[in-house]
Amino acid sequence: MSTDNPFTRLPAEAAPFTVTSTSVADGAPWAPAQLSGMFGIPGGRDLSPHLAWSGAPEGTRSYAVTIHDPDAPTGSGFWHWAVADIPAGVTELPEGAGDCTGSGLPEGAFQLPNDARAARFIGAAPPAGHGRHRYLVVVHALDVESIGVPVDGTPAQLGFTMSTHTLGRATLTATARTPGEGEEIDPVEVVERVEVSRLVPASAEAVFAVLTDPQGHVDIDASGMLLDAEGGPVERPGDRFVVHMDREALGDFPLGKYDVEVVITKLVPNEEIAWTVEGRIRPHVRHVYGYRLEPAESGTLVTSYYDWSGLAEEWKRRLTFPVVPESALKATLGILERTVRRRAAA
């Protein structure tokens, strides 16, 4: 994998702004949804990633989105997705927006044919044994409402035309690797952490008040397992509270109803909170749940994460991780937004 960034060679300076995704964290491997089943990757679904951006420069009149693999063995990389003429009032694309019909794209936006000559998103499919590839996911803020590239143009043509109209650029990088025969995945590529993000239209203080309240954990639970909680608001690492659980809500293990203690492992007011859970089974699992809060233009960017990298080998043999899927984290963020809104109105 090269460290070259092709955007550093462009003549015009572009102001940085922020892009985030619930589909992938910056620097992390793509999920199977963003790999290419069309190109034979097992489990690949060719779904374009969710993208949300903020802080674009003043004067932005439209956006373009591109996803490019500079490490593809072609001499020119491989363009996976190119979308032009996204209206300036749009700051988010849902996962799967880049299907063959562009069903999730806003009115006026269009997809150019990628390097597979398909006007849609094509997922990652690095050649077996070729090493880890980077996928540069870029939102371009432009000073024109329409970039003037034909619908059958190429992503390279779009890039060339944008070079004199780019006010800002927001970038995140995903990765993927297909192991060759007899080759094992590098341990650094084994995903042992899931992160999803959502922009919540509320202050960090209001969000943090829910996350430090034991009853707030019950209110935002998307699994149906949390019945009730006992204890006061947490204030520092080491604080604990009790949660009454009902495992039958998941129907996976016949544990019935039981209690666990939530142990706060990290607490930075209005910025981050994390905890682990101690129950009746020994040794404790020691997976970590947490939230990071970042001020954003219209609220707070809330990132929910689940990390099982610190597990003992005994637990890795006993359970399949993650025990909490990415979909549950996404659902919890939606419930969190609703809970913060309801508490503000109370």
Side-chain angles (χ1 to χ4, degrees), residues 59-63 84-88 108 142-148 165:
T60 297
R61 301 178 66 190
S62 72
Y63 297 100
D85 291 2
I86 300 171
L142 307 175
D143 63 4
V144 291
E145 290 184 6
S146 177
I147 195 60
H165 293 284

Side-chain angles (χ1 to χ4, degrees), residues 259-275:
D259 291 348
V260 299
E261 275 196 296
V262 171
V263 184
I264 304 302
T265 59
K266 184 173 186 178
L267 193 152
V268 180
N270 304 323
E271 293 184 15
E272 186 169 4
I273 182 172
W275 64 90

Side-chain angles (χ1 to χ4, degrees), residues 114-195:
N114 53 38
D115 278 346
R117 304 312 297 153
R120 56 160 300 145
F121 172 79
I122 291 291
H130 196 254
R132 189 184 309 124
H133 285 208
R134 297 165 299 154
Y135 298 82
L136 304 182
V137 182
V138 185
V139 181
H140 311 260
L142 307 175
D143 63 4
V144 291
E145 290 184 6
S146 177
I147 195 60
V149 174
V151 295
D152 60 350
T154 66
Q157 183 181 5
L158 173 65
F160 180 80
T161 308
M162 288 193 301
S163 64
T164 56
H165 293 284
T166 301
L167 300 176
R169 193 176 294 119
T171 305
L172 67 81
T173 302
T175 67
R177 181 166 84 94
T178 304
E181 185 176 354
E183 183 181 10
E184 295 183 357
I185 290 288
D186 190 319
V188 302
E189 295 184 78
V190 177
V191 180
E192 295 186 326
R193 182 184 177 100
V194 178
E195 291 195 3

Side-chain angles (χ1 to χ4, degrees), residues 72-127:
T74 64
S76 59
F78 190 97
W79 293 96
H80 287 258
W81 199 29
V83 184
D85 291 2
I86 300 171
V90 174
T91 57
E92 187 170 13
L93 297 178
E95 186 173 80
D99 59 17
C100 59
T101 65
S103 61
L105 298 180
E107 185 176 355
F110 66 95
Q111 302 176 106
L112 285 77
N114 53 38
D115 278 346
R117 304 312 297 153
R120 56 160 300 145
F121 172 79
I122 291 291

Side-chain angles (χ1 to χ4, degrees), residues 3-46:
T3 59
D4 175 58
N5 184 341
F7 293 107
T8 62
R9 301 193 299 272
L10 296 182
E13 285 293 327
F17 60 106
T18 300
V19 58
T20 60
S21 175
T22 60
S23 302
V24 66
D26 187 28
W30 284 124
Q34 280 71 53
L35 302 181
S36 183
M38 295 180 183
F39 275 57
I41 301 299
R45 296 171 58 197
D46 295 280

